[in-house]
Amino acid sequence: MPDRDGPGLTMDQESRLTGQAGTSVRGDESRAAILQAAKALFSANGSRGTSLASIASAAGLSQPGLLHHFPSKSALLLAVLADRDREDGELSSARLTGDGLDILTALASLVEHNQGQPEIVRLFSVLLGESLSDAHPAHGQFAARYQGIRSRILRKLRRAQTQGQVREGVDLDALAPVIVAVMDGLQYQWLLDDSIDMVRSFQVFCDLLVRGLTT
Amino acid sequence: MPDRDGPGLTMDQESRLTGQAGTSVRGDESRAAILQAAKALFSANGSRGTSLASIASAAGLSQPGLLHHFPSKSALLLAVLADRDREDGELSSARLTGDGLDILTALASLVEHNQGQPEIVRLFSVLLGESLSDAHPAHGQFAARYQGIRSRILRKLRRAQTQGQVREGVDLDALAPVIVAVMDGLQYQWLLDDSIDMVRSFQVFCDLLVRGLTT
DNA sequence: GTCTATATGAGGATAGAC
DNA sequence: GTCTATCCTCATATAGAC
């Protein structure tokens, strides 16, 4: 017996409140719990190493109950990634404020933010590895994601060059993947070894990069 | 009926030829075939996504036949990694010839070498992702591996600084992980998207790095 | 060293009741 | 929206014959 709907709302009344036709508050809560549990377990063991039953158990319902919300494991995996992208845009345009080389400062603060969230970072790193398989459900999603990230960074770099912050002759198309690579690569090392200081390393990278770009 | 031992060697004679007591040539061939098949399938689908039966089938024997050579899936996985390390030392000391900043040239040629071997690169990248799980059989192996790589690079960087190739004041301890990160990170992007040119990007990175380090 | 047969279990997904 | 029960497949590992 649910204990959250004191005055006794009907399903229809609940639906009107949440603004989602055909969905009850109870259902939304379960859905959210499933996503949360899936994030934690995918992060710890990868999607291939995690069973739907274990996720369902952590979310407080049965495995068929889970499949009512997400029709398959792949669908759940994609929902986890989509939900994560929605929550905080990571490298979204919104987060990459500032013009020109200020982008490096923005990225540095992102690295600092990430260093406080090992579980989320591991979720992405683990799933990135899995996604390298052609058949993996998130393969296309990750490929598109990285393409977008690189192109946003590249745009900023080009603007910096136009503004004279970066000397002519630097191959910015080739540089954009490098910047992304440093962030990802540091994460792997950090996740394997706590003693790695991503923030410090990324700062050193930025300093040297700026020197190299302006000299 | 085997067709490789024309004159009809006995097991004991075979053992003497291979120099491995208690091991026949036939067994060695199977073992090698298993390792080769495991590399290909782990690379394509990760170790969690690959069954022993599929490896055995690709190697031309039954699944229990495989388990005769490697007592468990974990043992096989570790053997694959050990075998790979043996074959070509990747970032081993032997490969990192040259003094001081010449290390960057050596690493660039390694990147070029890797760009010709997508399967091997993917094998490592996929398994690196899996290894982030604390419980993964190769977790410790990967952690130790990266620690070794960083320390070898750091040693070279320190020597370069001593020789005056690198100005004082640069935080080399923080830089070493960055160099490793660039190589790993580029590999992920390249594996997701053929159009990435790891060699070109790494070269740009090296050029900018040298400028930043010497200025 | 390799096989067949099998024990044993886990995983994803479905059917149908409530 | 959630459950129990179940199906079917696949996976690891073992037993024992050849």
Side-chain angles (χ1 to χ4, degrees):
Chain A
M1 180 75 83
D3 58 352
R4 30 117 225 112
D5 55 355
L9 295 175
T10 68
M11 285 272 190
D12 278 353
Q13 285 172 320
E14 286 176 343
S15 298
R16 232 176 296 130
L17 287 177
T18 61
Q20 296 191 18
T23 304
S24 73
V25 169
R26 170 89 171 282
D28 283 356
E29 282 172 355
S30 283
R31 194 189 149 90
I34 291 167
L35 284 174
Q36 189 184 351
K39 280 181 204 168
L41 289 168
F42 285 168
S43 169
N45 297 106
S47 81
R48 288 192 174 122
T50 303
S51 70
L52 291 177
S54 67
I55 297 169
S57 167
L61 39 60
S62 68
Q63 184 253 18
L66 183 157
L67 285 176
H68 172 75
H69 294 274
F70 304 93
S72 70
K73 194 179 186 179
S74 293
L76 173 57
L77 172 58
L78 294 178
V80 163
L81 290 172
D83 188 65
R84 192 56 218 160
D85 273 350
R86 192 185 48 73
E87 274 188 30
D88 98 346
E90 281 270 322
L91 287 165
S92 73
S93 307
R95 216 179 156 121
L96 295 188
T97 55
D99 239 21
L101 284 186
D102 288 353
I103 191 185
L104 293 178
T105 310
L107 292 177
S109 84
L110 174 57
V111 171
E112 189 164 5
H113 175 249
N114 284 341
Q115 190 153 303
Q117 305 211 325
E119 185 181 298
I120 296 296
V121 172
R122 190 169 56 168
L123 174 66
F124 266 105
S125 301
V126 167
L127 295 183
L128 171 58
E130 285 185 355
S131 80
L132 297 181
S133 306
D134 288 338
H136 194 274
H139 180 86
Q141 177 136 340
F142 270 99
R145 176 190 171 83
Y146 275 94
Q147 210 160 7
I149 292 172
R150 283 192 300 265
S151 87
R152 282 193 286 277
I153 290 180
L154 180 56
R155 199 180 322 133
K156 298 280 188 178
L157 291 176
R158 287 231 179 88
R159 199 168 306 164
Q161 200 172 40
T162 303
Q163 297 172 344
Q165 288 184 291
V166 173
R167 63 183 162 79
E168 297 296 317
V170 179
D171 185 347
L172 298 183
D173 293 272
L175 178 59
V178 171
I179 294 172
V180 179
V182 171
M183 293 193 290
D184 285 343
L186 286 176
Q187 286 175 357
Y188 279 99
Q189 292 178 63
W190 172 60
L191 290 168
L192 281 173
D193 186 343
D194 285 351
S195 70
I196 292 289
D197 186 340
M198 292 199 295
V199 174
R200 184 173 145 221
S201 281
F202 192 75
Q203 192 55 56
V204 167
F205 167 67
C206 290
D207 291 348
L208 290 169
L209 190 59
V210 170
R211 274 182 183 261
L213 286 173
T214 55
T215 310
Chain B
M1 181 77 79
D3 58 350
R4 29 123 224 103
D5 53 358
L9 296 173
T10 69
M11 286 267 192
D12 278 355
Q13 285 172 322
E14 286 175 342
S15 298
R16 233 176 293 132
L17 288 176
T18 61
Q20 295 190 21
T23 305
S24 74
V25 169
R26 170 87 171 281
D28 283 355
E29 282 172 356
S30 283
R31 195 189 150 90
I34 292 167
L35 284 174
Q36 189 185 349
K39 280 181 203 167
L41 289 167
F42 285 167
S43 169
N45 297 106
S47 81
R48 285 186 175 128
T50 303
S51 70
L52 291 178
S54 66
I55 297 169
S57 167
L61 40 61
S62 68
Q63 183 253 17
L66 183 158
L67 285 176
H68 171 76
H69 294 274
F70 303 93
S72 71
K73 195 179 185 177
S74 292
L76 173 57
L77 172 58
L78 294 177
V80 163
L81 290 172
D83 189 64
R84 191 58 218 158
D85 273 350
R86 192 184 47 73
E87 273 187 31
D88 99 347
E90 281 270 323
L91 287 166
S92 72
S93 308
R95 225 188 146 111
L96 294 187
T97 56
D99 239 19
L101 284 187
D102 288 352
I103 191 183
L104 293 177
T105 309
L107 292 177
S109 83
L110 174 57
V111 170
E112 189 165 5
H113 175 249
N114 284 340
Q115 190 152 302
Q117 305 211 323
E119 184 181 300
I120 296 295
V121 171
R122 190 169 57 168
L123 174 67
F124 265 105
S125 301
V126 167
L127 296 183
L128 172 58
E130 286 185 354
S131 80
L132 297 181
S133 306
D134 288 339
H136 194 274
H139 180 86
Q141 177 137 339
F142 270 99
R145 176 191 172 82
Y146 276 93
Q147 210 159 7
I149 292 172
R150 283 192 300 266
S151 88
R152 281 193 287 277
I153 290 180
L154 180 56
R155 200 180 322 134
K156 299 278 188 179
L157 291 175
R158 288 231 178 87
R159 201 167 306 163
Q161 200 171 41
T162 304
Q163 297 173 345
Q165 290 184 290
V166 174
R167 65 185 160 79
E168 297 296 318
V170 179
D171 186 347
L172 298 183
D173 292 274
L175 177 59
V178 171
I179 295 173
V180 179
V182 171
M183 292 193 291
D184 285 343
L186 286 176
Q187 286 175 357
Y188 280 99
Q189 293 178 63
W190 171 60
L191 290 168
L192 280 173
D193 186 344
D194 284 351
S195 71
I196 293 290
D197 186 338
M198 293 200 295
V199 173
R200 183 172 144 219
S201 281
F202 192 75
Q203 192 56 54
V204 168
F205 167 69
C206 289
D207 291 348
L208 290 169
L209 189 60
V210 170
R211 273 182 184 261
L213 286 173
T214 56
T215 312

